[in-house]
Amino acid sequence: MAELEQRFVSCTEPVEARHTQAIWLLAQGRTVSEASKLTAFGERWIQQLLERYNADGPDALGNGRRRNGSKPRILVPAVLDKLRARLAEPPPDGGLWSSRKVSAFLADQLGLDAVAPQRGWEALRAIGWSLQKPRPKNPKSASDEEADAFKKNWRRPSPRKRPSTPASRSRSSPPTSTGSG
């Protein structure tokens, strides 16, 4: 019971901590119904946690969804290291590296017919690369000297107050007389 308490207190993952808390409450002698009220888990869920805990021990608790994926087959560390070294040179056709060119490199390294261009993009992201190219300069833009001369001679408009627009009399109803007569 002290082991469950220590595990509950030191847990960094919230789901695992709540599962451990439920089992710890049952180990203290509380009923499934009491543990359900204290943890806000359903009674059937607490029974399932207890079954998992009794079958596989403390490792059965926690977020099982984190372990249900498959191992990477394309973006493996060895291939990413080769890609990092290959990106130091230009691509075979010249130009810039693109996700399509990287995916072709990955297919070649893995002995596959083809790899989706999306995997090329993911590989570039995995090694910290981003596809960037400088924005081209406008051919009609001013030179630095012309820009400096413009900045020196540019006058800002004076902050004069604009004249207000005069309001006209309301014409929503006919004029009325206030005099008696």
Side-chain angles (χ1 to χ4, degrees):
M1 188 161 56
E3 177 185 327
L4 282 171
E5 179 182 9
Q6 178 59 35
R7 186 178 178 118
F8 170 64
V9 170
S10 65
C11 232
T12 58
E13 185 183 324
V15 174
E16 184 179 350
R18 301 255 338 270
H19 290 181
T20 305
Q21 178 188 20
I23 300 300
W24 178 44
L25 290 170
L26 294 175
Q28 290 174 350
R30 299 188 189 238
T31 65
V32 171
S33 180
E34 290 173 328
S36 172
K37 289 176 184 172
L38 290 171
T39 60
F41 284 143
E43 291 183 19
R44 179 64 188 132
W45 178 244
I46 292 181
Q47 290 171 348
Q48 289 175 347
L49 284 175
L50 183 60
E51 291 169 8
R52 282 178 21 194
Y53 180 75
N54 288 336
D56 299 324
D59 293 334
L61 303 176
N63 191 350
R65 293 174 292 184
R66 291 185 182 233
R67 298 182 292 271
N68 70 353
S70 62
K71 292 183 180 179
R73 294 176 301 198
I74 293 177
L75 303 180
V76 293
V79 174
L80 291 177
D81 289 339
K82 290 179 183 178
L83 174 63
R84 194 175 283 114
R86 179 64 180 96
L87 289 176
E89 302 170 20
D93 64 349
L96 299 173
W97 282 101
S98 66
S99 58
R100 189 170 306 283
K101 293 174 186 177
V102 171
S103 66
F105 173 80
L106 294 173
D108 183 50
Q109 291 297 310
L110 296 168
L112 300 173
D113 292 336
V115 171
Q118 176 64 30
R119 297 292 166 256
W121 174 252
E122 291 170 359
L124 288 170
R125 297 280 311 259
I127 63 172
W129 262 58
S130 64
L131 298 175
Q132 296 178 2
K133 116 179 176 183
R135 186 174 179 182
K137 186 173 171 84
N138 184 350
K140 296 180 182 178
S141 67
S143 67
D144 292 336
E145 296 82 25
E146 291 171 334
D148 289 338
F150 177 77
K151 290 177 187 175
K152 287 180 183 176
N153 296 330
W154 185 53
R155 298 187 68 185
R156 288 197 165 124
S158 65
R160 287 189 312 190
K161 191 171 187 180
R162 299 178 110 194
S164 63
T165 306
S168 62
R169 172 173 79 82
S170 171
R171 296 173 197 238
S172 61
S173 65
T176 57
S177 172
T178 58
S180 57

